Amino acid sequence: MSVGLSRSASFRPRRALMALATGLALAGAGLAPSALAQTPAAAAAGVDIPFESFTLPNGLRVVVHTDRKAPIVAVNIWYHVGSKDEPAGRSGFAHLFEHLMFQASEHHDGEFFDPFSQVGATDQNGTTNTDRTNYFQNVPTTALDMALWMESDRMGHLLGAIDQAALDEQRGVVQNEKRQGENQPYGQVWDKLTRALYPKGHPYHHGVIGSMNDLDAASLEDVKQWFRTWYGPNNAVLVLAGDIDVETAKRKVAQYFGDIPAGPTMAQPQVDVARRTADTRETMEDQVPQARIYRAWNVAELGTTDIDHLQVLANVLGGAKASRLDRRLLHDERLVDSISAGAYGSQLGSNFIVMATVKQGVDPATVDAAIEEELQRLIEQGPTAEELERAKTSSRAGFVRGIERIGGFGGKADALAECTVYEGDPGCFRTSLANIAATTAEDVKAAGAKWLDVGSHTITVVPGARTPLAEEPAVTPAPFTPPAPDPKYRTTRSTVDRSAGVPKTTTFPELKFPAQERATLSNGTQVILARRPEIPVVQLSYEFKGGYTADQGRTPGTASFTMSVLDEGAGGLDALAFADRAEALGASIGAGASLDGSNAYVSALKENLDPSLALFADMIRRPNFAQKEIDRVKATWIASIAQEKARPSSAAMRVLPPLIYGADHPYGIPFSGTGNEDAIARLTRDELVTFHRDWVRPEGATLIVVGDTTLAEIVPMLERHFGDWRGTGPAPAAIEIAEVARPTASRVFLIDQPGAVQANIFAAQVIPSTSDPSATRFDMANTVIGGNFTARLNMNLREDKHWSYGARSSASAALGQRPWAASAPVQIDKTAEAMAEIQRELSDFAGGQRPPTDAELTRAKAIQTLSLPGAYETAWSVMNTIGGNVRFNRPDDYVFQRKAEIEAMTVADLTGVVTTIDPKTLTWVVVGDLKQIEAPIRALELGEVQVLDADGKPVGR
């Protein structure tokens, strides 16, 4: 997620424990006392989130968690206001205000992101959901004063900086965010679902992002009243997690926030689950390649034992690879291409949702009936002892992995903030962990019988014409005057002179990267170990050379397909038994391919390291390649290609590579690596076995290990499981990646998406390899033009014109020539104008009319170097960096060499590489409604215009 480009208006908040327990970056939970007590589940995992808390006299609650593994602090502030608090006629205000708070404040004139980009902040964003609005960022420890100054300035000193221009700008951005969501396949489902599940007048009836009518009607005074009502310190929780202690936090928070007056004390809505008395259903048409079923119930709110029990039920029913729904509908009867179940917690009431993507040719009613049968069987009979234990282990393992991160989506700061906001106890996650650990089969049965008996609403989306979702009738909002500030709170004297501006950060932490230790296995594989003992987890990645490029001379998609089915049964275990074993061990295991290589990976709990390695070795060395599993995955794979073609951005990325590299080039393939439908349909088991024999071999491979282990411990284990492994036959020759010439002039290719409310624009060309000596200089130049939120393209199309929710540019890593592209989703009526702006920006940048400036280079340096001390917080980030060093034959100290190169750069260095971009030889791909965009694009005369279908073939006109 790019900083600031995805301020998500999510469907429903996700409890932090749920996020941690599934290993996903969702949103959090909420609560406080007993900072040192551990539940049995947390103790068994050997981890916890210890904290201390205090409250300022003005009501600001502060939670502090100390974690010294990196010199960074997560600053995470939650305001207890979301779309549930919006009165009729003011839908979307919470989310709109989230955007406004990223603008100037009274003592800082400019984007909120600017000072943070100058100190190398990471994981910076903001989100709104039904129940809360949050803002978060990780900053170097030495920049904490700046971060607290900025957060306190927008809390206490914002209104004087909000004017009509700022409101109009962010209203346009939000409306494009709404269009972007609705322009996706199945993108209208969530609004329809909430309208059906909750009656009019219920706080959850309307969508978080609001209606176009209400957004258009918002006046400057309306939004200022909204701020006065909800954004006082007494309605907020500040979490500081990382390289900080409570005494420092008390001093600094009082210094920056203590003088901010409290706002009114606003009553929270009463819990209202809105239980429904009957099952209902509807069918909607959309531009989708296959039917999808969404079945949802309103269930118990956050903070209840029932929602924790429903989490366990969801895992057994459809939350794991070997769950009951997966076993029956995906594996046995093959009625679906994907299926899932989950319980998603919210303050006033939660949702239990089953989602199934129906296989082509299958009647959705058949799938619907099977879901009901499996649900009722689980409710009546309960889970088996093995299912129950797997669900508990999976939850605990996800929690262990999740708390490695201090900030960002779903990190420790999120968990503490959510617990505090919703339950008043930062440590409420311990109660949930204990509830899950103590769950019995009878508990699961009782929760299911209580909440999932009747009252569901089912939406079945079927292929057809997309009809814009009708806006609900406009409502004139009732006059509202916020209550007076709560007199029980008081301010303290501040020593901060805000007229002096944002505090300057003059010193920064040193970059540290784990030392790398080496060994060589008997099979010829080099082992690289980076020790990370902070959590009891060990992660391994076996790196091989064959990637998508190894499809040359083979059926397209062979590499990716082969690697993806390695975990579909191995070592005599069929696909379901293999998944059962992995889940019982708490292991995350799989394999995949990328452009120039492939890898197999496992994340193992330290307590189960050796048996997890045994399963890992079976997957790599002894995959079953069972024909029935191949046939099942092939059908699902082909359906996924159709889904790629239905999504505007992935449709473009299927067509673009052959246009810039040529169809016969190793890189002239869809960058998803999925191949095409005909190729996958004819792919044989023998081809998979041959690819595995040729490319998945120990000689010349590297095994990266990061985590809580030592060479003395891990090497004997690896020898036991891999030492006698040898490749069969000669290794294949290295793939030759020929250079290609750019076209002699720009070309424009259009793909029709009838009825689209946005167009997705891409402008691309090839540039030198990642290994080219100029690569880092070009990356710095790209940072200026489109590589971050404050880059030129985004500031133009989003912040100035507000035609787009976000514009950017990037270059992917590659051994051969890299693909570089600028991209932007824009409102449909501004497609040609946006293309003209992109062309102008690139021409001015590369042509010398507006070369990179000293200020832009300074900001780019900060973004690329000052963020590094916090960039390697997780084992996964360390592993990815070492993997890149292996792939591109870099030295162990590459991160230090790259940092030094960037720090020494001058504007003249960038001036020499900006001409790498040639605006006169771009390849444009635009996906949108041709009836609205074709004529204006042709009138631009950017180059020859050609219409293509979703397979990249010319369409006769």
Side-chain angles (χ1 to χ4, degrees):
M1 172 170 289
S2 299
V3 169
L5 295 181
S6 297
R7 299 172 186 163
S8 69
S10 57
F11 166 59
R12 218 27 113 237
R14 269 69 163 166
R15 187 167 190 163
L17 173 63
M18 299 171 189
L20 295 172
T22 56
L24 300 175
L26 304 174
L31 234 40
S34 187
L36 300 179
Q38 284 194 9
T39 64
V47 292
D48 187 27
I49 313 176
F51 61 86
E52 297 179 80
S53 59
F54 59 92
T55 302
L56 294 187
N58 62 6
L60 178 65
R61 292 164 290 170
V62 184
V63 184
V64 182
H65 165 69
T66 301
D67 180 341
R68 303 287 191 185
K69 71 174 178 289
I72 56 174
V73 180
V75 180
N76 193 328
I77 190 162
W78 284 42
Y79 293 92
H80 200 173
V81 57
S83 62
K84 74 180 189 316
D85 304 298
E86 297 162 349
R90 287 193 170 91
S91 69
F93 267 46
H95 179 242
L96 175 62
F97 217 90
E98 175 216 316
H99 280 251
L100 285 167
M101 287 183 74
F102 277 103
Q103 302 303 292
S105 56
E106 292 173 5
H107 304 100
H108 170 67
D109 184 17
E111 293 281 339
F112 185 84
F113 294 105
D114 285 343
F116 291 89
S117 66
Q118 294 169 22
V119 300
T122 58
D123 282 325
Q124 185 175 25
N125 217 315
T127 69
T128 307
N129 61 32
T130 52
D131 300 322
R132 59 93 186 112
T133 304
N134 70 346
Y135 303 90
F136 50 90
Q137 52 266 315
N138 295 348
V139 297
T141 308
T142 53
L144 180 59
D145 284 276
M146 179 278 296
L148 295 177
W149 190 99
M150 289 293 293
E151 286 289 2
S152 60
D153 209 58
R154 68 175 168 185
M155 176 188 284
H157 308 277
L158 186 73
L159 288 185
I162 297 178
D163 57 18
Q164 191 65 46
L167 173 59
D168 292 342
E169 173 189 317
Q170 291 307 311
R171 175 165 37 211
V173 171
V174 168
Q175 288 176 332
N176 272 303
E177 181 180 0
K178 182 177 176 69
R179 294 184 186 103
Q180 184 169 315
E182 293 177 353
N183 203 46
Q184 302 302 311
Y186 315 99
Q188 298 179 351
V189 166
W190 300 117
D191 270 349
K192 288 186 73 71
L193 196 56
T194 52
R195 292 182 191 182
L197 287 173
Y198 299 101
K200 282 189 177 182
H202 191 283
Y204 288 168
H205 176 75
H206 65 273
V208 172
I209 207 163
S211 76
M212 290 290 194
N213 290 334
D214 289 353
L215 291 170
D216 282 335
S219 71
L220 187 59
E221 185 55 31
D222 288 338
V223 297
K224 289 187 175 184
Q225 290 283 48
W226 181 262
F227 178 80
R228 295 185 185 104
T229 304
W230 293 105
Y231 292 85
N234 52 315
N235 197 44
V237 169
L238 172 64
V239 177
L240 301 175
D243 186 20
I244 189 170
D245 56 71
V246 70
E247 292 307 317
T248 301
K250 286 181 177 179
R251 185 179 71 256
K252 289 183 179 294
V253 174
Q255 177 184 0
Y256 291 107
F257 290 86
D259 67 335
I260 300 174
T265 296
M266 300 297 293
Q268 287 292 314
Q270 292 295 310
V271 169
D272 182 3
V273 173
R275 293 196 67 172
R276 306 171 77 247
T277 58
D279 295 323
T280 54
R281 61 182 60 249
E282 63 180 306
T283 299
M284 65 177 287
E285 293 186 354
D286 196 3
Q287 292 176 358
V288 296
Q290 60 195 123
R292 182 176 289 171
I293 297 169
Y294 299 80
R295 187 178 180 189
W297 293 257
N298 295 339
V299 297
E301 73 277 11
L302 280 173
T304 62
T305 303
D306 278 353
I307 192 64
D308 295 326
H309 291 165
L310 287 170
Q311 281 290 310
V312 178
L313 188 153
N315 183 280
V316 174
L317 179 66
K321 193 169 182 180
S323 68
R324 294 193 177 188
L325 292 178
D326 281 81
R327 188 180 297 270
R328 176 176 172 181
L329 279 79
L330 187 64
H331 288 264
D332 294 343
E333 298 180 13
R334 302 190 181 181
L335 300 175
V336 301
D337 287 313
S338 66
I339 192 159
S340 64
Y344 305 106
S346 298
Q347 178 180 339
L348 308 184
S350 307
N351 299 113
F352 189 100
I353 301 175
V354 177
M355 186 170 66
T357 304
V358 181
K359 193 174 289 294
Q360 290 276 7
V362 173
D363 184 352
T366 303
V367 175
D368 209 6
I371 292 171
E372 176 65 15
E373 288 174 12
E374 290 303 317
L375 175 61
Q376 293 308 318
R377 184 177 293 114
L378 179 56
I379 292 173
E380 291 166 9
Q381 300 175 5
T384 66
E386 292 79 11
E387 288 175 321
L388 193 60
E389 189 57 34
R390 281 198 302 270
K392 293 178 181 182
T393 301
S394 177
S395 175
R396 183 168 62 86
F399 178 81
V400 173
R401 293 187 180 97
I403 65 171
E404 184 181 18
R405 299 169 58 245
I406 59 168
F409 287 111
K412 289 187 282 189
D414 248 6
L416 295 169
E418 191 184 74
C419 276
T420 309
V421 166
Y422 296 142
E423 299 185 37
D425 172 10
C428 77
F429 62 89
R430 296 170 180 152
T431 303
S432 289
L433 284 169
N435 288 343
I436 290 173
T439 300
T440 66
E442 290 302 316
D443 292 332
V444 173
K445 290 168 61 177
K450 179 178 179 180
W451 294 103
L452 306 179
D453 50 353
V454 295
S456 69
H457 183 71
T458 301
I459 296 179
T460 303
V461 185
V462 297
R466 177 180 296 160
T467 302
L469 191 62
E471 295 263 320
E472 294 196 304
V475 176
T476 301
F480 174 76
T481 301
D486 194 325
K488 74 179 179 182
Y489 297 112
R490 61 181 177 83
T491 59
T492 56
R493 185 176 179 181
S494 173
T495 60
V496 176
D497 177 11
R498 293 193 179 269
S499 66
V502 183
K504 301 297 182 184
T505 305
T506 57
T507 61
F508 295 91
E510 290 185 7
L511 166 61
K512 294 182 180 179
F513 193 82
Q516 294 161 62
E517 304 171 65
R518 280 179 163 73
T520 302
L521 300 183
S522 301
N523 63 19
T525 293
Q526 179 183 196
V527 176
I528 302 176
L529 169 67
R531 297 191 62 191
R532 293 299 295 263
E534 290 83 7
I535 61 171
V537 172
V538 180
Q539 302 195 59
L540 300 94
S541 179
Y542 222 135
E543 303 280 329
F544 306 105
K545 296 188 184 301
Y548 304 157
T549 54
D551 282 351
Q552 287 289 292
R554 303 174 193 261
T555 301
T558 298
S560 188
F561 192 97
T562 302
M563 299 304 295
S564 293
V565 297
L566 291 187
D567 65 348
E568 296 290 347
L573 298 175
D574 67 17
L576 290 170
F578 187 91
D580 279 345
R581 179 65 174 152
E583 288 161 14
L585 292 169
S588 175
I589 189 168
S594 58
L595 192 62
D596 291 306
S598 58
N599 77 313
Y601 57 88
V602 65
S603 175
L605 296 179
K606 178 66 180 284
E607 65 201 67
N608 294 330
L609 179 56
D610 194 61
S612 297
L613 288 177
L615 193 67
F616 185 48
D618 279 341
M619 181 186 74
I620 293 174
R621 300 181 59 180
R622 293 173 285 274
N624 293 347
F625 291 129
Q627 189 62 52
K628 72 170 186 175
E629 306 300 350
I630 293 171
D631 292 342
R632 173 182 57 81
V633 176
K634 282 172 71 171
T636 301
W637 196 278
I638 290 169
S640 75
I641 294 174
Q643 293 285 352
E644 286 180 14
K645 293 178 180 179
R647 295 189 297 270
S649 58
S650 55
M653 294 312 295
R654 288 186 63 83
V655 169
L656 190 55
L659 295 175
I660 61 175
Y661 287 104
D664 296 328
H665 191 275
Y667 290 174
I669 56 175
F671 276 162
S672 62
T674 50
N676 58 69
E677 294 97 323
D678 291 342
I680 297 301
R682 67 175 185 268
L683 190 60
T684 67
R685 181 183 187 277
D686 286 346
E687 290 178 276
L688 308 185
V689 171
T690 300
F691 182 91
H692 178 262
R693 179 200 67 202
D694 289 349
W695 291 103
V696 182
R697 53 196 306 133
E699 305 90 356
T702 301
L703 183 49
I704 304 169
V705 185
V706 182
D708 186 15
T709 189
T710 64
L711 277 182
E713 177 185 43
I714 195 68
V715 170
M717 291 185 186
L718 296 175
E719 283 287 354
R720 183 160 58 252
H721 298 297
F722 291 101
D724 63 347
W725 181 31
R726 300 292 184 274
T728 302
I735 305 297
E736 294 291 333
I737 310 296
E739 286 208 3
V740 298
R742 292 174 175 174
T744 56
S746 291
R747 305 165 297 165
V748 181
F749 298 92
L750 308 180
I751 300 175
D752 195 14
Q753 186 191 12
V757 295
Q758 278 194 328
N760 283 67
I761 301 169
F762 294 83
Q765 59 189 193
V766 295
I767 63 172
S769 162
T770 298
S771 300
D772 188 88
S774 69
T776 300
R777 296 196 302 277
F778 178 83
D779 290 342
M780 290 292 287
N782 181 72
T783 301
V784 172
I785 187 63
N788 72 96
F789 184 89
T790 56
R792 294 184 185 183
L793 289 174
N794 192 62
M795 296 306 289
N796 183 335
L797 295 181
R798 173 178 164 135
E799 299 297 283
D800 180 26
K801 306 293 192 308
H802 39 88
W803 295 342
S804 174
Y805 182 49
R808 67 194 71 190
S809 63
S810 63
S812 301
L815 290 172
Q817 288 165 296
R818 292 194 284 172
W820 173 87
S823 62
V826 301
Q827 61 194 66
I828 197 75
D829 61 335
K830 296 297 183 182
T831 304
E833 292 89 335
M835 293 175 68
E837 286 299 309
I838 294 171
Q839 178 70 36
R840 181 183 63 78
E841 289 283 5
L842 297 181
S843 296
D844 288 352
F845 186 66
Q849 292 90 335
R850 287 183 62 215
T853 65
D854 286 322
E856 288 174 320
L857 175 58
T858 299
R859 183 169 60 237
K861 284 183 176 183
I863 291 169
Q864 294 292 336
T865 64
L866 299 182
S867 61
L868 291 175
Y872 304 112
E873 177 193 8
T874 66
W876 192 256
S877 61
V878 171
M879 178 174 287
N880 283 342
T881 298
I882 296 174
N885 291 347
V886 171
R887 176 72 47 81
F888 297 104
N889 196 30
R890 296 164 171 161
D892 285 356
D893 66 347
Y894 173 73
V895 294
F896 298 96
Q897 292 187 20
R898 182 178 181 274
K899 179 175 182 285
E901 180 184 359
I902 292 172
E903 289 173 337
M905 280 184 194
T906 65
V907 168
D909 292 323
L910 297 196
T911 304
V913 294
V914 294
T915 54
T916 301
I917 300 171
D918 183 357
K920 296 180 180 179
T921 61
L922 294 169
T923 296
W924 297 83
V925 173
V926 185
V927 183
D929 186 346
L930 293 195
K931 290 181 180 178
Q932 300 183 68
I933 67 173
E934 183 175 2
I937 289 175
R938 289 184 181 276
L940 290 175
E941 297 184 348
L942 292 175
E944 181 182 356
V945 178
Q946 191 169 10
V947 178
L948 306 177
D949 65 15
D951 291 310
K953 297 176 181 177
V955 175
R957 305 290 287 175

